[in-house]
């Protein structure tokens, strides 16, 4: 087909346009092609021991980093999804090349490592956190990181630094000071050296050497051979302690051995000598303590001096107000003490024992006119007559009773003891009592970015502190507020003063600012110098339909910091098993504690680098829910104003081995809910109306249980009680305790009088002993004599009973480790002995006493 001229020209123009369009398309494709990878810097200068960061831009594949001279510069760490970031550390002066390989492409950066000017001024160990170094610099430097430091220790000055300790955290205090947190503690007396590049500092850690007491008493019977080491009276000694007399004179016959530095000899003269002993450790550090040497015999009495502090806090003030409202008299307090085995501590702010030695061993006691008319001696008994006559009782010891009406400040009391066989033989004890007002300090523990931190230990160190005993501790709360959020609140009572604050999580962070408490309550936010992140989720048992409700979840760092139980962050879940906790960047594994205190870990690790939700964490623990209502089937608790439901009381569930596996509380409607192992039957007990009472049993199969109601019945509890022979009065009765079951006796005295009860057990570490009337109304309870004894004794002394009335005595074994519910109760014999101490002329019923000497 032939084209005319017009058509030919039109075709040519169209072809040209087509070529232009095609060319434009090719140019656009070139504009959107992938950018080539390149380094953030082609040249870099870094100081020895310091670090700098290189970044590969436009990395389309994983980056491989390398150095041609590891002894000059090295790749300290890598980060990013494709390892596109690298931290380069200068090792020593010189030049090196760092290569970043992206696929087949290599990108290089020339590194110049220059000499670092020494910048360390000094290093020391924190006296109250031996895992922390305080580093001071000559010039300001805020760029230092964990990788910049090397820490080593040695035991002897002449030896080499041969033990490396890893650095955990580095926290700048200001431009010229850092706190260096370590993974191990520095032992007292050891040497520590910290290095960064060519900066180096070292010191010997010398914890303050001090006397643990200002004044102590040492009693010696005349003619006794003694060999006493008083070096134990001093703390933080490096090496052995040498003793010498700074003032005063040792009793005749005693001297300090110059080889062992013990006080040795035979005291030949009776009397009291006050000697100031000076201790010197191997570093030449000195401290002093006053020692009262009390040498006694059959003709000479001796008694020591003592000093005490009374913590006048909120509970003391409440007790004082309650006692004033009740208008209690000394006679009332005598009656309370008589029912509780002579224990006056329930009626007074403080009770101090004065126990002389020498002479006949029995004394009458006189208190010099006190500054408060309510201060008294326990041996000054008030008669129940119109004149309220005071009678001095003869005794081996007395107790100085300090009332709640005592005022703040220092009080001095003198108590004189006179031998009952010769009133001319006397000795006097000086008791100094310092009443220190405490004030409420509360607030929230927060991270540097404002998140509330829960489950962290807060340590308040007063400016006057010399040793660990002076530290006041509390914990930021791990529970939820009404909005379902972690509150991280702390609440503690402290005396007025200025406090350094440490918050122990993975490390014992120290606040830069101090807290000053004047003579008033105070609120203060505690700010931790570390960024935390919000981590939320749910916790469940392995049978995940059951959530871990109101259960504490712990978060353990996998870096194995110098870990203690309190070193793990924790939080309480709410009623749906949800939690929200603040954690610093790290990798964690969560766990809960089972009934025996064993850790039961969750299903997955948690790596925290940002705010995050972790979903549902399942514990390696299977439990079934049990819920119901606790009822009271009798009127025995009318004295405590309960209705037909037992409200706001802790229930204890014991398994067949006597282990308390759970202790839920009833609410205001008597409702309870608890999670228990299946295929078991549990005995349930509750402490109410003055004593521990058995509520019944609950059987749990491998399924949740609803309607597990409990009803207290005195008739059920006393069924099968063993009669204790009263005529003639048996010397002893033996019953067998199996698991968590208590044992119960019935007793019907044939004579009016005062009776004492003693329960003993060699298989348990304690027996709770309680006395009831025929209707199971609580009368009194006994106290445990000693948890260290091979056979534990519990006594209930001088209780007045009426003839021909029935009483019940119940003994509850408290476990092989005392009252700790994490230990099973042993099975075995419990022995009871009843003794009539004094026959009464006329019956005088003892009214029920609210409360118990046993702490629940």
């Amino acid at each position: 087909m032939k084209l005319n001229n017009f058509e030919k020209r039109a075709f040519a123009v169209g072809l040209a346009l087509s070529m232009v369009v095609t060319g434009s398309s090719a140019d656009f494709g070139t504009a959107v092609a992938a950018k080539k990878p390149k380094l953030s810097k082609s040249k870099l200068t870094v100081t020895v021991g310091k670090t700098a960061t290189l970044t590969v831009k436009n990395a389309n594949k994983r980056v491989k980093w390398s150095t041609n001279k590891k002894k000059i510069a090295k790749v300290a760490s890598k980060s990013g999804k494709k390892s596109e970031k690298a931290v380069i550390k200068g090792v020593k002066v010189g030049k090196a090349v760092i290569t970043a390989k992206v696929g087949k492409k290599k990108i290089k950066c020339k590194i110049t490592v220059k000499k670092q000017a020494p910048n360390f001024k000094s290093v020391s160990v924190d006296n109250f956190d031996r895992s922390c170094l305080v580093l001071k610099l000559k010039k300001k430097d805020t760029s230092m990181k964990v990788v910049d430091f090397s820490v080593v220790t040695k035991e002897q000055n002449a030896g080499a630094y041969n033990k490396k300790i890893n650095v955990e955290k580095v926290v700048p205090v200001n431009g010229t000071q850092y706190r260096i947190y370590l993974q191990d503690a520095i032992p007292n007396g050891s040497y520590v050296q910290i290095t960064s590049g060519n900066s180096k500092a070292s010191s010997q850690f010398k914890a303050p050497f001090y006397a643990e007491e200002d004044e102590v008493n040492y009693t010696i019977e005349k003619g006794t051979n003694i060999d006493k080491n008083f070096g134990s009276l001093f703390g933080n000694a490096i090496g052995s302690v040498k003793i010498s007399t700074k003032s005063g004179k040792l009793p005749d016959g005693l001297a300090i051995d110059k080889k062992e530095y013990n006080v040795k000899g035979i005291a030949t003269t009776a009397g009291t000598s006050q000697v100031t002993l000076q201790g010197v450790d191997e570093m030449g550090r000195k401290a002093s303590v006053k020692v009262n040497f009390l040498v006694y015999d059959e003709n000479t009495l001796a008694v020591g001096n003592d000093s005490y502090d009374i913590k006048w806090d909120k509970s003391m003030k409440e007790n004082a107000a309650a006692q004033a409202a009740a208008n209690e008299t000394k006679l009332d307090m005598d009656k309370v003490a008589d029912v509780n085995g002579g224990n006056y501590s329930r009626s007074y702010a403080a009770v101090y024992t004065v126990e002389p030695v020498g002479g006949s061993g029995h004394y009458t006691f006189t208190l010099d006119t006190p500054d408060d008319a309510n201060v008294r001696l326990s041996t000054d008994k008030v008669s129940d007559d119109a004149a309220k006559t005071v009678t001095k009782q003869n005794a081996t010891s007395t107790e100085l009773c300090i009332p709640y009406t005592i005022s703040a400040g220092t009080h001095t009391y003198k108590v004189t003891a006179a031998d009952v066989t010769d009133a001319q033989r006397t000795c006097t004890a000086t008791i100094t009592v310092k009443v220190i007002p405490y004030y409420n300090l509360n607030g929230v523990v927060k991270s540097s970015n404002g998140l509330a931190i829960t489950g962290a230990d807060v340590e308040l160190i007063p400016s006057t502190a010399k040793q660990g005993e002076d530290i006041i501790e509390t914990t930021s709360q791990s529970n939820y507020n009404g909005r379902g959020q972690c509150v991280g609140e702390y609440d503690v009572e402290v005396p007025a003063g200025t406090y350094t604050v440490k918050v122990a999580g993975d490390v014992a962070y120290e606040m830069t600012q101090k807290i000053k408490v004047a003579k008033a309550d105070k609120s203060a936010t505690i700010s931790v110098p570390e960024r935390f992140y919000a981590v939320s989720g749910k916790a469940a048992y392995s049978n995940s339909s059951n959530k871990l409700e109101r259960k504490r979840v712990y978060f353990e760092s996998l870096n194995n910091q110098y870990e203690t139980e309190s070193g793990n962050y924790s939080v309480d879940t709410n009623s749906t098993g949800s939690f929200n906790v603040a954690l610093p960047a790290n990798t964690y594994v969560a766990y809960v504690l089972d009934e025996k205190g064993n850790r039961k870990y969750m299903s997955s690790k948690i790596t925290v680098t940002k705010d995050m939700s972790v979903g549902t964490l399942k514990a390696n623990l299977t439990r079934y829910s049990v819920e119901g209502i606790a009822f009271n089937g009798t009127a025995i608790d009318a004295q405590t104003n309960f209705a037909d439901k037992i409200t706001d009381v802790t229930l204890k569930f014991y398994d067949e081995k006597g282990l308390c596996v759970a202790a839920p509380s009833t609410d205001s409607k008597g409702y309870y809910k608890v999670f228990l192992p299946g295929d078991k039957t549990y005995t349930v007990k509750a402490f109410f109306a003055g004593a521990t009472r058995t509520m019944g049993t609950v059987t749990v199969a491998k399924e949740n249980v609803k309607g597990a109601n409990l009803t207290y019945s005195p008739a059920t509890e006393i069924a099968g009680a063993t009669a204790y022979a009263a005529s003639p009065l048996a010397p002893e009765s033996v019953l067998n305790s199996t698991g968590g079951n208590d044992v119960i006796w019935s007793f019907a005295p044939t004579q009016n009088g005062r009776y004492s009860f003693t329960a003993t057990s060699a298989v348990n570490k304690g027996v709770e002993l309680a006395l009831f009337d025929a209707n199971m109304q609580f009368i009194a309870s006994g106290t445990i004599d000693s948890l260290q004894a091979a056979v534990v004794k519990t006594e209930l002394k001088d209780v007045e009973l009426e003839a021909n009335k029935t009483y019940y005595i119940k003994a509850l074994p408290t476990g092989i480790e005392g009252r700790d519910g994490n230990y099973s109760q042993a099975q075995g014999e419990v022995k009871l002995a009843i003794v009539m101490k004094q026959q009464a002329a006329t019956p005088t019923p003892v009214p029920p006493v609210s409360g118990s000497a046993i702490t629940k």
Side-chain angles (χ1 to χ4, degrees):
M1 179 182 70
K2 291 185 178 181
L3 301 176
N4 58 34
N5 289 336
F6 176 79
E7 290 173 331
K8 288 180 179 178
R9 287 195 296 271
F11 178 80
V13 171
L15 178 63
L17 290 171
S18 173
M19 292 177 65
V20 170
V21 171
T22 302
S24 299
S25 177
D27 290 342
F28 180 77
T30 301
V32 297
K35 294 183 179 180
K36 296 179 181 180
K38 66 177 183 178
L39 276 171
S40 55
K41 294 180 180 180
S42 59
K43 294 181 180 180
L44 183 65
T45 299
V46 63
T47 303
V48 172
K50 294 291 187 177
T51 59
T53 301
L54 286 175
T55 302
V56 175
K57 299 179 179 179
N58 308 322
N60 53 13
K61 293 183 180 180
R62 181 168 290 277
V63 181
K64 295 182 180 179
W65 296 88
S66 61
T67 177
N68 69 332
K69 295 180 181 179
K70 292 182 179 180
K71 293 183 178 180
I72 303 295
K74 67 178 182 178
V75 180
S77 64
K78 295 169 284 186
S79 61
K81 291 183 178 180
K82 296 178 181 179
S83 299
E84 67 272 17
K85 292 183 179 181
V87 175
I88 311 303
K89 183 174 183 179
V91 180
K92 73 175 186 178
V93 175
K95 295 181 181 292
V97 176
I98 298 294
T99 301
K101 185 177 181 183
V102 186
K104 294 182 179 181
K105 185 175 182 61
K106 294 182 178 179
I107 321 168
K108 297 184 178 182
C109 177
K110 296 180 180 179
I111 306 295
T112 300
V113 181
K114 66 179 183 179
K115 185 177 181 180
Q116 179 194 46
N119 194 31
F120 287 179
K121 183 178 181 180
S122 66
V123 67
S124 59
V125 180
D126 187 331
N127 286 327
F128 295 97
D129 181 4
R130 300 185 182 190
S131 298
C132 179
L133 303 180
V134 179
L135 176 66
K136 294 183 178 181
L137 308 179
K138 296 177 181 177
K139 295 181 179 180
K140 185 177 181 179
D141 186 345
T142 59
S143 65
M144 306 186 85
K145 304 178 183 66
V146 168
V147 294
D148 295 332
F149 295 101
S150 175
V151 176
V152 288
T153 65
K154 63 180 181 179
E155 292 184 2
Q156 303 294 330
N157 187 27
Y161 287 99
N162 53 14
K163 182 182 178 182
K164 181 179 179 180
I165 297 181
N166 292 330
V167 176
E168 187 60 50
K169 292 278 186 182
V170 173
V171 178
V173 177
N174 51 49
T176 58
Q177 183 172 316
Y178 283 83
R179 294 183 64 80
I180 313 295
Y181 293 102
L182 310 176
Q183 290 187 5
D184 291 305
I186 306 296
N188 187 28
S190 293
Y191 295 80
V192 61
Q193 177 180 278
I194 185 168
T195 304
S196 178
N198 64 341
S199 291
K200 185 182 296 184
S202 61
S203 66
Q204 183 185 20
F205 174 42
K206 295 182 284 189
F209 181 60
Y210 66 99
E212 295 185 348
E213 301 286 348
D214 294 328
E215 185 175 348
V216 298
N217 301 311
Y218 185 57
T219 304
I220 311 167
E221 185 175 6
K222 178 183 171 182
T224 303
N225 188 11
I226 70 163
D227 186 351
K228 175 67 175 178
N229 183 350
F230 285 93
S232 59
L233 296 178
F234 301 91
N236 291 336
I238 297 176
S240 59
V241 177
K242 296 181 179 180
I243 300 296
S244 63
T245 55
K246 186 176 181 181
S247 64
K249 179 180 178 298
L250 290 172
D252 293 342
L254 303 185
I256 295 176
D257 177 82
K258 295 301 182 181
K259 186 176 182 181
E260 298 178 355
Y261 290 93
N262 289 356
V263 175
K264 293 184 176 181
I266 298 175
T268 58
T269 304
T272 299
S273 304
Q274 186 178 84
V275 180
T276 300
L277 293 181
Q278 179 174 269
V280 182
D281 73 353
E282 291 184 2
M283 303 303 299
R285 299 181 299 170
K286 300 176 181 179
S288 299
V289 59
K290 293 179 181 178
V291 180
N292 298 316
F293 288 89
L294 312 175
V295 183
Y296 68 94
D297 60 13
E298 67 278 5
N299 297 312
T300 305
L301 313 187
V303 67
N305 301 324
D306 275 305
S307 59
Y308 304 95
D309 290 345
I310 294 180
K311 177 183 175 181
W312 199 256
D313 55 13
K314 181 180 178 181
S315 64
M316 283 286 191
K317 296 170 187 174
E318 290 175 348
N319 288 337
Q323 193 175 73
N327 196 27
E328 286 186 297
T329 66
K330 291 181 180 179
L331 176 60
D332 296 328
M333 297 175 191
D334 278 350
K335 289 181 178 179
V336 172
D338 288 343
V339 171
N340 289 279
N343 184 1
Y344 277 84
S345 62
R346 294 179 60 187
S347 300
Y348 287 90
V351 173
Y352 306 117
T353 300
V354 178
E355 189 169 10
V357 290
S360 67
H362 286 78
Y363 317 97
T364 57
F365 296 91
T366 302
L367 173 64
D368 279 7
T369 304
D371 53 5
D372 186 311
N374 291 315
V375 176
R376 62 173 297 189
L377 299 178
S378 62
T379 46
D380 289 345
K381 295 294 185 180
V382 181
S383 301
D384 193 4
D385 55 23
K388 299 296 184 287
T389 307
V390 176
T391 303
K392 291 188 177 296
Q393 290 187 335
N394 299 334
T396 57
S397 64
T398 190
E399 290 176 321
L400 176 66
C401 303
I402 307 299
Y404 288 110
T405 55
I406 197 72
S407 60
T410 301
H411 307 263
T412 302
Y413 304 103
K414 293 185 180 296
V415 180
T416 300
D419 196 325
V420 296
T421 62
D422 186 349
Q424 299 304 310
R425 299 175 189 159
T426 63
C427 61
T428 300
T430 300
I431 310 296
T432 303
V433 178
K434 188 175 183 181
V435 181
I436 304 173
Y438 274 60
Y439 304 94
N440 180 257
L441 174 64
N442 63 73
V444 180
V445 180
K446 292 185 177 181
S447 63
S448 61
N449 56 324
L451 287 179
I453 304 172
T454 65
D457 287 345
V458 177
E459 297 181 345
L460 299 158
I461 306 170
S463 56
T464 56
K466 294 181 179 179
Q467 64 258 15
E469 290 78 4
D470 296 326
I471 297 175
I472 299 171
E473 296 181 346
T474 185
T475 302
S476 58
Q477 293 301 304
S478 303
N479 57 0
Y480 282 75
N481 62 18
R483 300 180 299 278
Q485 300 170 329
C486 297
V487 291
E489 294 178 349
Y490 72 96
D491 195 315
V492 67
E493 290 187 86
V494 299
T498 301
Y499 295 87
T500 297
V501 184
K502 295 181 186 292
V503 179
D506 290 324
V507 295
Y509 295 108
E510 180 174 303
M511 285 178 59
T512 302
Q513 70 271 33
K514 298 182 186 296
I515 292 180
K516 186 174 182 179
V517 178
K519 295 180 179 180
D521 295 344
K522 183 182 181 73
S523 293
T525 297
I526 294 176
S527 181
V528 173
E530 174 81 5
R531 181 181 176 85
F532 280 60
Y533 299 93
V535 179
S536 61
K538 286 192 173 184
Y541 292 102
S542 57
N543 47 332
S544 58
S545 61
N546 285 332
K547 305 302 181 186
L548 280 157
E549 300 177 11
R550 294 185 172 87
K551 187 81 171 177
R552 182 153 298 181
V553 179
Y554 298 87
F555 296 86
E556 174 186 310
S557 165
L558 293 185
N559 286 350
N560 296 318
Q561 285 95 340
Y562 56 99
E563 181 189 319
T564 62
E565 183 69 26
S566 62
N568 296 331
Y569 296 99
S570 64
V571 65
D572 288 348
T573 61
N574 65 7
S575 59
T576 65
S578 298
F579 65 84
N580 193 325
V581 64
L583 298 173
N586 217 324
T587 299
Y588 300 89
V589 60
Y591 66 89
V592 294
L593 300 178
D594 68 7
E595 297 80 9
K596 295 183 179 180
N598 299 319
R599 296 183 181 188
K600 296 296 180 180
Y601 286 93
M602 301 295 196
S603 48
S604 57
K605 296 178 183 177
I606 304 168
T607 299
V608 178
T609 58
K610 60 182 179 180
D611 294 346
M612 61 188 295
S613 173
V614 296
T616 299
L617 302 175
K618 293 183 181 180
N620 184 23
L621 198 64
T622 302
R623 295 293 182 265
Y624 302 94
S625 66
V626 178
E627 54 188 309
I629 297 175
F631 291 96
N632 182 19
T634 180
I636 65 101
D637 59 358
Q639 58 188 337
T640 49
N641 299 317
F642 285 116
D644 61 330
K645 295 173 183 176
I646 302 176
T647 63
D648 301 315
V649 163
T650 299
L651 304 175
K652 292 188 176 182
F653 287 73
Y654 291 87
D655 66 11
E656 75 283 357
K657 295 182 179 179
L659 174 68
C660 179
V661 299
S665 295
T666 60
D667 65 12
S668 60
K669 297 181 180 179
Y671 171 81
Y672 76 91
K673 185 176 182 181
V674 65
F675 291 88
L676 299 169
D679 282 343
K680 288 179 179 291
T681 296
Y682 300 90
T683 299
V684 186
K685 300 179 186 294
F687 182 84
F688 68 97
T692 300
R693 301 173 186 273
T694 301
M695 297 292 297
T697 60
V698 172
T699 298
V700 183
K702 290 185 177 180
E703 60 183 4
N704 297 336
V705 181
K706 290 188 176 182
N709 297 336
L710 300 163
T711 301
Y712 176 71
S713 170
T716 302
E717 186 162 34
I718 64 178
T722 299
Y724 192 101
S727 182
L729 192 61
E732 189 174 66
S733 179
V734 180
L735 293 182
N736 192 62
S737 169
T738 57
N741 295 325
D742 43 20
V743 294
I744 188 165
W745 287 268
S746 62
F747 177 58
T750 58
Q751 300 179 67
N752 297 329
R754 289 185 175 273
Y755 291 80
S756 291
F757 304 80
T758 303
T760 56
S761 172
V763 292
N764 291 277
K765 285 297 182 183
V767 178
E768 294 183 10
L769 188 63
L771 176 68
F772 305 85
D773 68 10
N775 297 315
M776 288 302 289
Q777 289 271 10
F778 171 72
I779 296 177
S781 61
T783 56
I784 296 173
D785 180 59
S786 171
L787 290 178
Q788 281 70 46
V791 177
V792 179
K793 179 174 63 174
T794 306
E795 294 183 315
L796 182 57
K797 297 179 179 179
D798 297 336
V799 181
E800 196 162 342
L801 304 180
E802 292 185 60
N804 303 318
K805 286 195 174 183
T806 299
Y807 299 88
Y808 291 97
I809 307 100
K810 188 167 73 168
L812 173 62
T814 57
I816 58 175
E817 292 292 334
R819 300 188 187 92
D820 190 339
N822 289 333
Y823 293 89
S824 299
Q825 295 175 358
Q827 301 182 16
E829 292 181 344
V830 177
K831 300 179 181 180
L832 176 69
I834 303 177
V835 177
M836 187 173 75
K837 305 296 288 185
Q838 181 181 0
Q839 186 173 350
T842 56
T844 306
V846 177
V849 178
S850 176
S852 170
I854 299 293
T855 301
K856 298 293 172 187

